[in-house]
Amino acid sequence: MLVHVMETITSPANPRLRALVRLRRRRDRDAAGVTLVDGVEETSLALRSGARVREAYWCPDLDDGRAAPLIDDLTDRGVPLIRLSRVAFEKIAYREGPDGMLAVLETPGRTLAGFEPPTPAFLLVAEHVEKPGNLGAILRTADAAGVDGVIAADPVTDWGNPNVVRGSKGAVFSVPVVSAGSEETLTWLRDRGIALLAATPDTDVLHTEADLTGPVAIAVGAEKEGLSEALLEAADIRVRIPMVGRVDSLNVATSAAILLYEAVRQRAGAER
């Protein structure tokens, strides 16, 4: 491994590091158009997915050797690599047990106007989802299920939130992600003939009984309130996930996983 280090920083008070810490705030991320990716695995997935890396920070004292292929890749791409001491790296790391790699990447996400999924579209709509960890978990499932895109409708958190990136294990860069208003999303789906599915207890149709083999967007809502009335009323398909225990709701990421994999099952069967 040939490491081309541009600079070495040992002090946690370095102005460059203070600027990185400020990127934990959304307004600073939005102003700079970048986000932070903490971890070898997450940064590697982002690179494989075509993400643009502005610069990377590496701490040899925390690196157990797994970063070698990534560093070679970063070097080949001409990405500036800055070496940090352990105390300096721990200043900028936002995860527990950092592995010595943190990268600054251009913020993921696009507009609906610039998004055209393949046909038949297989999408997920996450409306008002607040917790970055839930949004990250939803993205991991979306990546695993082969979803064509995830639309954040009336988003509360941004795609560049470091905890979304961490929770997604970098999948925020491998799955096309879009931000839009709920009404804009509904209009966009109607114009393309993509059916909207909403889960609700107010129906007798189980999620396994609906036809999910065609163009479909599966909608999940906020952790507390669920989907808005506008999306529920506009839904072409309403299903319920059976629940036989005493708890009356599921975690939003769990609900998304159940619905997405039912669609995966049906679509795989339709292709045989």
Side-chain angles (χ1 to χ4, degrees):
M1 179 179 67
L2 181 62
V3 181
H4 296 284
V5 176
M6 307 289 293
E7 171 183 0
T8 297
I9 297 175
T10 59
S11 172
N14 184 281
R16 192 166 189 163
L17 302 190
R18 290 203 299 266
L20 289 175
V21 172
R22 287 196 295 271
L23 290 176
R24 297 176 187 177
R25 299 191 299 234
R26 182 172 183 172
R27 65 176 179 271
D28 291 281
R29 292 194 299 272
D30 289 346
V34 298
T35 187
L36 300 176
V37 180
D38 191 344
V40 171
E41 181 182 354
E42 292 82 350
T43 304
S44 298
L45 177 58
L47 273 180
R48 293 197 303 271
S49 302
R52 295 176 62 87
V53 181
R54 297 268 185 95
E55 57 191 21
Y57 295 80
W58 172 57
C59 176
D61 291 342
L62 292 169
D63 181 5
D64 61 5
R66 290 182 299 135
L70 173 58
I71 290 174
D72 287 341
D73 196 358
L74 292 168
T75 299
D76 290 343
R77 295 168 186 252
V79 175
L81 182 65
I82 296 90
R83 186 198 303 262
L84 300 184
S85 67
R86 184 176 189 129
V87 67
F89 193 90
E90 289 174 346
K91 170 75 173 181
I92 62 172
Y94 60 83
R95 59 187 273 180
E96 293 184 6
D99 60 14
M101 179 60 67
L102 183 141
V104 180
L105 283 75
E106 294 185 3
T107 303
R110 61 187 77 182
T111 63
L112 277 176
F115 177 49
E116 286 298 335
T119 302
F122 179 27
L123 306 173
L124 180 73
V125 175
E127 186 188 38
H128 295 154
V129 174
E130 299 176 9
K131 297 180 180 178
N134 280 337
L135 198 53
I138 286 170
L139 282 166
R140 289 180 69 178
T141 301
D143 177 83
V147 169
D148 298 318
V150 178
I151 301 170
D154 286 344
V156 178
T157 190
D158 61 306
W159 291 121
N161 185 303
N163 289 316
V164 172
V165 178
R166 180 178 63 178
S168 76
K169 300 294 287 185
V172 68
F173 297 101
S174 63
V175 179
V177 292
V178 181
S179 297
S182 292
E183 288 299 329
E184 180 188 1
T185 300
L186 289 174
T187 299
W188 186 87
L189 293 173
R190 290 192 202 99
D191 290 346
R192 286 156 182 77
I194 301 172
L196 178 66
L197 177 143
T200 173
D202 300 323
T203 179
D204 294 328
V205 180
L206 295 178
H207 70 293
T208 53
E209 297 172 342
D211 182 0
L212 307 180
T213 58
V216 65
I218 293 171
V220 294
E223 290 84 347
K224 293 181 180 180
E225 294 82 13
L227 289 168
S228 66
E229 286 299 321
L231 256 68
L232 283 172
E233 291 176 4
D236 303 286
I237 308 167
R238 296 177 182 82
V239 301
R240 65 179 176 89
I241 298 171
M243 300 185 65
V244 297
R246 296 184 179 181
V247 177
D248 61 359
S249 65
L250 292 171
N251 173 274
V252 63
T254 301
S255 298
I258 291 171
L259 297 170
L260 288 175
Y261 269 93
E262 174 57 25
V264 168
R265 182 188 70 81
Q266 292 188 23
R267 295 164 94 88
E271 291 175 358
R272 294 196 186 101

